[in-house]
Amino acid sequence: MSRSLREVVFVDGVRTPFGKAGPKGMYAQTRADDLVVRCIRELMRRNPGLPPERVDEVAIAATTQIGDQGLTIGRTAALLAGLPTSVPGFAIDRMCAGAMTAVTTTASGIAFGAYDVAIAGGVEHMGHHPMGEGVDPNPRFVSEKIVDSSALVMGSTAENLHDRFPHLTKERADAFAVGSQDRYAAALAAGKIGPELVPVAVRSAEQGWGLATADEPPRPGTTVEGLARLKTPFRPHGHVTAGNAAGLNDGATGCLLAAEDVATELGLQIGMRLVGFGFAGVEPEVMGVGPVPSTTKALASTGLTIDDIGLFELNEAFAVQVLAFLDHFGIADDDPRVNMWGGAIAVGHPLASSGVRLMTQLSRQFAERPDVRYGLTAMCVGIGMGGTVIWENPAWEGEK
């Protein structure tokens, strides 16, 4: 039996405001699954042309799949959001690239013809479930020297990247971090950040009920001089600080994917078109370099080159890993095509949710940039991986 693949489109994406993890964070007393439910409901509200029964799958990622992030959260969140019982769902994990993998997995199903419409996203409540909670690494990893012990500590892997690429100095990392904060602040002031946010009702035993409407992590006014004074917790006299890395955060994301012909049939907007993707493994001790081979793989499979990419949304788990990517591909640290509206150093990185934040921002940037045909979302992944997804702008006006 021969089959033809269908075009897959990103229809819409939303996210909760991102919060700071911990007892003082705005989501300290809010359930993780309720954050996902808000995203699913908002996607359905914003796209009234989509009958709920036409959703064929709900894939939700979480890195720590226990407690309020467990119990096959794709299925349970779909039920809690009020989707029909006929809509199935599942949970997925690829650490930081969980939501990205939820997208590529369901998109592959759409392309193959198994689905017409899917919801994909991710959640991480690092206040309830710190990274690594409940895990039991096999002692063979270290005893048989399969990986170095530093591979299990993400901040240490970033220090290892500084060692491997000594020209990626702390000064460069700090300058990049300041740029991320500044770009986020400018985008917020210009109204670029906000339309994708889903307000979330939050509860505090001390203060009662409130409404989360804005991101909690950004630090406007950050300076290179201020970052230079921060401690380096992963190594004495090291390079990685709380200022040039993403923080510990809570939040959720969700997006709507569809076959292009189905989106047209239902009158749904087409935010961007999937071109291709790639995942790759690297040495776990330097997991931050993962987006380099994953991008190389994605470009090769699509017949594109890095010069074809007009916009980049790169997850800023650590400044050094973004710099390693930029250096490899000959892109300047302050290239305006990269993270136009700031990145995770400013807005936060709730692990498994972040991939869809990148995609949502790229889709909205495409709408403003008909001169750009292709964009790329990429991120490093714990235990030594990288993920890259390449998208096409439906608003592209063609070669001038």
Side-chain angles (χ1 to χ4, degrees), residues 128-309:
H128 290 179
H129 307 291
M131 189 173 184
E133 180 186 14
V135 302
D136 180 19
N138 193 305
R140 291 179 50 239
F141 277 121
V142 175
S143 66
E144 298 182 14
K145 297 184 179 180
I146 297 171
V147 301
D148 185 82
S149 59
S150 65
L152 304 179
V153 180
M154 297 304 103
S156 296
T157 69
E159 290 285 6
N160 292 342
L161 263 188
H162 278 289
D163 292 342
R164 180 163 295 192
F165 304 112
H167 61 285
L168 303 180
T169 63
K170 183 177 184 298
E171 290 73 23
R172 280 182 68 181
D174 286 350
F176 183 87
V178 170
S180 180
Q181 296 283 353
D182 290 347
R183 288 191 300 274
Y184 175 90
L188 183 67
K192 309 296 185 185
I193 303 292
E196 78 280 24
L197 297 183
V198 183
V200 178
V202 294
R203 178 185 176 277
S204 164
E206 295 77 24
Q207 300 176 358
W209 287 94
L211 193 65
T213 59
D215 295 313
E216 202 174 20
R219 297 180 292 271
T222 297
T223 65
V224 171
E225 293 75 20
L227 295 186
R229 294 191 292 269
L230 295 179
K231 296 179 179 178
T232 57
F234 301 103
R235 181 186 297 177
H237 309 293
H239 304 80
V240 179
T241 71
N244 59 31
L248 304 179
N249 305 109
D250 308 328
T253 60
C255 71
L256 196 58
L257 304 169
E260 186 165 2
D261 61 324
V262 174
T264 301
E265 169 203 337
L266 297 174
L268 302 175
Q269 67 181 0
I270 296 176
M272 53 188 182
R273 187 177 295 110
L274 179 63
V275 178
F277 62 88
F279 292 95
V282 296
E283 299 164 77
E285 296 85 356
V286 286
M287 66 94 194
V289 80
V292 170
S294 66
T295 297
T296 301
K297 181 182 287 189
L299 290 170
S301 70
T302 57
L304 299 174
T305 71
I306 201 69
D307 295 331
D308 293 314
I309 307 301

Side-chain angles (χ1 to χ4, degrees), residues 5-6 8 102-118 259:
L5 297 180
R6 299 192 295 177
V8 181
V103 167
T104 57
T105 300
T106 52
S108 299
I110 293 170
F112 184 72
Y115 310 138
D116 284 340
V117 179

